[in-house]
């Protein structure tokens, strides 16, 4: 996996990630430039399967002022994801049968400098799961601080 362009940290907090997939993403040229400049936010984004095609919805890719174009793409437009039909069918089965969710976890550049989306099958965390994760993170932070002060 190459360079991360945008990461969805909230997804790891709100969901238990079960399985991860790579998908191509249909973008305009100015959107690719904006992504490379780090102007993307996946915090409230989600993935839906509509009529056998898979879309990334509510992902925010800002417009760059440096792009010399009158055309301004919608910053929250639905973006089509590119996956094999078998993979989409597998995801659709998991979502409809098991009640799982598909979330976008990151956008990144692969080895060939092509923007890819990492999406994941996820199960929503309960409130007590989130609290346990926060307690564990705080305990790890305290342990690191104690080790740092000990040296």
């Amino acid at each position: 996996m190459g360079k991360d362009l945008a990461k969805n940290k909230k997804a790891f907090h709100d969901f238990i990630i079960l399985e991860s997939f790579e998908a191509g993403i249909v973008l305009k040229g100015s959107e690719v430039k904006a992504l490379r400049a780090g102007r993307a936010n996946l915090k409230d984004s989600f993935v839906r399967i509509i009529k056998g095609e898979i879309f990334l919805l509510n992902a925010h890719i800002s417009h760059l002022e440096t792009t010399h174009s009158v055309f301004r793409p919608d910053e929250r437009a639905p973006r089509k994801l590119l996956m094999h039909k078998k993979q989409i069918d597998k995801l659709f089965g998991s979502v409809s049968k098991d009640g799982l969710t598909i979330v976008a976890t990151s956008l990144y550049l692969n080895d060939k400098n092509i923007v890819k989306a990492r999406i994941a099958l996820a199960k929503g965390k309960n409130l007590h799961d989130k609290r346990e994760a926060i307690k564990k993170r705080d305990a790890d932070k305290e342990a690191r601080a104690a080790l740092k002060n000990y040296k």
Side-chain angles (χ1 to χ4, degrees):
M1 194 163 106
K3 179 184 173 222
D4 269 343
L5 301 172
K7 213 173 179 102
N8 188 354
K9 293 179 184 171
K10 191 170 186 262
F12 293 98
H13 178 71
D14 292 343
F15 298 98
I16 299 167
I17 306 297
L18 302 174
E19 191 176 354
S20 206
F21 298 90
E22 179 183 79
I25 184 168
V26 178
L27 296 169
K28 313 271 187 307
S30 60
E31 291 176 326
V32 175
K33 278 183 134 179
L35 276 172
R36 287 176 187 265
R39 304 279 297 270
N41 185 354
L42 293 175
K43 193 165 87 177
D44 299 324
S45 67
F46 56 96
V47 177
R48 283 275 156 82
I49 299 172
I50 304 165
K51 295 183 183 173
E53 294 181 332
I54 191 163
F55 290 91
L56 175 64
L57 304 170
N58 217 22
H60 188 273
I61 299 176
S62 299
H63 177 72
L64 271 184
E65 295 303 320
T66 56
T67 54
H68 303 290
S69 174
V70 182
F71 171 70
R72 256 187 101 131
D74 180 16
E75 295 177 339
R76 288 199 182 273
R79 292 173 179 88
K80 187 174 179 181
L81 297 177
L82 307 171
M83 292 179 80
H84 292 286
K85 185 83 174 126
K86 282 183 180 177
Q87 288 179 311
I88 295 173
D89 290 344
K90 180 182 177 183
L91 287 171
F92 184 72
S94 297
V95 168
S96 56
K97 186 175 64 187
D98 303 334
L100 299 176
T101 309
I102 310 171
V103 290
T105 55
S106 68
L107 294 175
Y108 64 94
L109 287 173
N110 71 357
D111 302 333
K112 296 177 183 172
N113 255 2
I114 297 171
V115 177
K116 297 283 184 178
R118 173 133 341 260
I119 62 173
L121 263 177
K123 184 179 177 200
K125 277 187 184 177
N126 295 329
L127 188 61
H128 64 87
D129 292 335
K130 290 180 190 178
R131 285 190 190 133
E132 279 183 32
I134 291 169
K135 282 181 192 173
K136 185 179 182 308
R137 187 182 65 217
D138 290 345
D140 288 346
K141 196 185 288 182
E142 286 176 22
R144 279 197 302 274
L147 282 172
K148 188 177 174 185
N149 293 336
Y150 181 72
K151 290 178 183 178

